[in-house]
């Protein structure tokens, strides 16, 4: 069974194959009608979603398949205390492919440990969102004609932005991409992402205003300040509305700049920007259907086996990330990638110092 938990579990050739298939589906949708006839997709959304959930559902319906699932755990037996393992085991016995979104980091990997069908990570807390990244890669391919030689500005909630983390990781593997991170000190890009960029020889810098970087950018990736990831409303209030892209700021952008946003938007892009031909976020959301059709087609019949946990189980060590799934679902093996005194949680990538 093939799962999609983290894009980095696959070689770049696999990503390129998915993007290429999505381009073909976009150009020739009729060829794929009925390709998943008789197959069932289970969608387990423990956290709200519009685009990811409905684009997966649309993808499956356009391929001729059917759907089961929930979009609110309160209406399922999760509300009676059923754990992730049991819910996954049951639904993966009904479905041919599972799509899961969960507020805890590493939850999709935890679900895949138990599932009897392929699992796709549709967002695990502030950690990863690989299918958004594939959507962004398809958008860049269709709209910029390339995934390399780009200056990419990322603005907003860079610490909690799983779409930002996944996209940085992916684009760092393509030639000559440069990243400019625009955020407040509190919402800076995590150091593990900087380490990946350094390891892949990618240039990056941090800035505090959008104005100072606008003229340099080929791509501006705006993000929402995620109120649901803050521990208090005061902390959120201090961060919201710091960065707002408006018509005036757009004047400093290149003619062929493209503005992307994984959406939903709150106040970080004013509505008048929507009429600018460089604002492509609605188109980007639509491209999400084609990439998800390509993914479902690729994964549903795949019989390859993948080893999900490759590290060392440390029974007496807990992940220090309070949002890690291992701190909620206690039966999960606490598995870490060890390197000297450092252990990296195999679910959420948090690093801890061993003593
Ligand atoms: N981009 C994205 O993940 O949107 P939803 O939260 O609406 O799925």
């Amino acid at each position: 069974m093939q799962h999609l938990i983290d894009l980095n579990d696959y070689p770049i050739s696999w990503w390129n194959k998915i993007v290429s298939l999505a381009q073909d589906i976009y150009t020739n949708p009729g060829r794929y009608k009925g390709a998943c006839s008789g197959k069932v997709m289970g969608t387990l959304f423990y956290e709200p979603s519009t685009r990811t959930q409905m684009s997966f559902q649309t993808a499956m319906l356009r391929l001729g398949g059917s759907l089961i699932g929930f979009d609110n755990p309160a209406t399922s037996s999760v509300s009676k205390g059923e754990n992730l393992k049991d819910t996954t085991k049951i639904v993966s016995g009904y479905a041919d492919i599972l799509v899961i979104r969960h507020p805890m980091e590493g939850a999709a990997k935890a679900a895949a440990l138990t599932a009897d069908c392929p699992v796709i990570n549709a967002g695990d807390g502030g950690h990863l969102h690989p299918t958004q990244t594939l959507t962004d890669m398809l958008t860049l391919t269709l709209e910029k004609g390339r995934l390399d030689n780009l200056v990419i500005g990322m603005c907003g909630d860079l610490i909690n932005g799983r779409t930002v983390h996944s996209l940085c990781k992916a684009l760092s593997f393509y030639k000559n991409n440069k990243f400019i991170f625009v955020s407040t000190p509190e919402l800076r890009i995590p150091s593990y992402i900087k380490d990946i960029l350094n390891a892949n020889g990618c240039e990056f810098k941090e800035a505090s205003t959008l104005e100072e970087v606008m003229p340099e950018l080929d791509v501006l990736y705006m993000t929402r300040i995620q109120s649901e990831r803050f521990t208090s409303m005061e902390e959120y209030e201090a961060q919201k509305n710091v960065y707002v892209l408006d018509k005036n700021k757009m004047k400093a952008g290149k003619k062929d700049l493209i503005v992307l946003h994984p959406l939903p938007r709150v106040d970080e892009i004013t509505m008048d920007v929507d009429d600018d031909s460089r604002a492509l976020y609605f188109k980007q959301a639509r491209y999400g259907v084609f990439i998800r059709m390509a993914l479902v087609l690729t994964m549903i019949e795949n019989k390859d086996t993948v080893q999900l946990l490759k590290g060392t189980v440390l029974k007496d060590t807990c992940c220090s990330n309070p949002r890690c799934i291992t701190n909620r679902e206690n039966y999960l093996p606490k598995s870490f990638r060890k390197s000297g005194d450092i252990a990296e949680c195999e679910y959420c990538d948090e690093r801890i110092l061993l003593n």
Side-chain angles (χ1 to χ4, degrees), residues 17-139:
K17 202 181 91 187
I18 301 287
V19 171
S20 211
L21 178 57
Q23 280 181 274
D24 193 57
I25 297 170
Y26 176 66
T27 317
N28 307 293
R31 272 191 207 158
Y32 298 89
K33 229 173 153 181
C36 283
S37 171
K39 301 288 182 190
V40 176
M41 172 185 281
T43 54
L44 304 182
F45 277 68
Y46 288 77
E47 199 182 50
S49 166
T50 298
R51 278 145 292 274
T52 312
Q53 186 191 10
M54 292 192 202
S55 60
F56 264 116
Q57 292 173 341
T58 306
M60 194 56 174
L61 293 171
R62 290 206 191 285
L63 292 169
S66 311
L67 302 164
I68 57 169
F70 57 75
D71 58 11
N72 179 358
T75 62
S76 77
S77 286
V78 175
S79 65
K80 301 172 200 165
E82 185 166 69
N83 65 24
L84 180 63
K85 178 178 180 178
D86 292 2
T87 304
T88 304
K89 188 79 189 163
I90 297 302
V91 185
S92 68
Y94 302 152
D96 300 290
I97 192 159
L98 270 193
V99 178
I100 179 165
R101 171 171 287 191
H102 199 286
M104 301 293 282
E105 299 175 10
K109 182 172 273 187
L113 290 175
T114 314
D116 292 322
C117 70
V119 171
I120 299 178
N121 182 3
D124 58 334
H127 186 218
L128 296 170
H129 194 348
T131 69
Q132 179 66 48
T133 302
L134 287 168
T135 300
D136 299 340
M137 289 166 73
L138 176 64
T139 306

Side-chain angles (χ1 to χ4, degrees), residues 50-333:
T50 298
R51 278 145 292 274
T52 312
Q53 186 191 10
M54 292 192 202
S55 60
F56 264 116
Q57 292 173 341
T58 306
M60 194 56 174
L61 293 171
R62 290 206 191 285
L63 292 169
S66 311
L67 302 164
I68 57 169
F70 57 75
D71 58 11
N72 179 358
T75 62
S76 77
S77 286
V78 175
S79 65
K80 301 172 200 165
E82 185 166 69
N83 65 24
L84 180 63
K85 178 178 180 178
D86 292 2
T87 304
T88 304
K89 188 79 189 163
I90 297 302
V91 185
S92 68
Y94 302 152
D96 300 290
I97 192 159
L98 270 193
V99 178
I100 179 165
R101 171 171 287 191
H102 199 286
M104 301 293 282
E105 299 175 10
K109 182 172 273 187
L113 290 175
T114 314
D116 292 322
C117 70
V119 171
I120 299 178
N121 182 3
D124 58 334
H127 186 218
L128 296 170
H129 194 348
T131 69
Q132 179 66 48
T133 302
L134 287 168
T135 300
D136 299 340
M137 289 166 73
L138 176 64
T139 306
L140 292 173
T141 304
L142 291 172
E143 298 293 338
K144 296 297 285 181
R146 64 189 194 276
L147 290 168
D148 53 15
N149 291 293
L150 294 166
V151 179
I152 305 135
M154 299 195 149
C155 177
D157 189 348
L158 306 186
I159 192 165
N160 295 307
R162 58 192 173 197
T163 60
V164 167
H165 304 167
S166 289
L167 187 58
C168 282
K169 282 171 75 174
L171 291 183
S172 72
F173 288 95
Y174 292 85
K175 243 187 12 219
N176 210 22
N177 285 326
K178 178 180 169 185
F179 297 88
I180 305 180
F181 299 115
V182 183
S183 76
T184 61
E186 292 81 6
L187 299 184
R188 262 189 198 140
I189 195 83
S191 53
Y192 90 92
I193 295 291
K194 290 184 195 172
D195 291 346
I196 291 169
L197 298 182
N198 280 325
N200 291 340
C202 263
E203 210 183 309
F204 67 88
K205 67 177 181 183
E206 293 181 278
S208 56
T209 68
L210 257 179
E211 286 87 340
E212 69 190 280
V213 306
M214 278 304 276
E216 289 184 66
L217 305 179
D218 299 311
V219 181
L220 172 58
Y221 199 90
M222 291 297 293
T223 62
R224 172 177 69 94
I225 308 298
Q226 301 182 46
S227 57
E228 68 275 26
R229 312 270 180 235
F230 287 80
T231 46
S232 75
M233 265 328 266
E234 290 73 36
E235 283 176 52
Y236 168 65
E237 294 287 338
Q239 298 294 331
K240 73 168 196 184
N241 298 336
V242 175
Y243 299 107
V244 178
L245 179 67
D246 58 20
K247 221 172 163 174
N248 201 35
K249 291 194 187 87
M250 286 293 285
K251 285 182 192 156
K254 289 182 185 173
K255 274 202 177 77
D256 65 349
L257 165 75
I258 64 168
V259 179
L260 303 182
H261 190 313
L263 304 178
R265 137 177 80 181
V266 184
D267 297 318
E268 60 281 359
I269 302 180
T270 58
M271 304 264 254
D272 54 11
V273 175
D274 300 353
D275 301 325
D276 190 307
S277 59
R278 297 169 293 175
L280 296 188
Y281 28 89
F282 295 128
K283 228 172 168 184
Q284 177 189 2
R286 187 163 171 265
Y287 291 146
V289 173
F290 304 104
I291 205 81
R292 289 177 174 110
M293 287 171 80
L295 256 183
V296 171
L297 273 174
T298 304
M299 292 179 66
I300 203 159
E301 300 284 13
N302 193 293
K303 301 284 181 249
D304 295 351
T305 48
V306 286
Q307 195 186 345
L308 288 159
L309 298 177
K310 300 175 191 146
T312 310
V313 175
L314 302 174
K315 280 190 183 139
D316 300 323
T317 306
C318 287
C319 177
S320 57
N321 174 7
R323 296 184 292 195
C324 178
I325 191 70
T326 56
N327 289 318
R328 180 188 286 184
E329 309 265 335
N330 294 324
Y331 55 83
L332 289 167

Side-chain angles (χ1 to χ4, degrees), residues 4-24:
L4 175 57
I5 309 302
D6 181 341
L7 271 186
N8 290 69
D9 295 334
Y10 290 94
I12 300 172
S13 57
W14 188 85
W15 312 347
N16 291 337
K17 202 181 91 187
I18 301 287
V19 171
S20 211
L21 178 57
Q23 280 181 274
D24 193 57

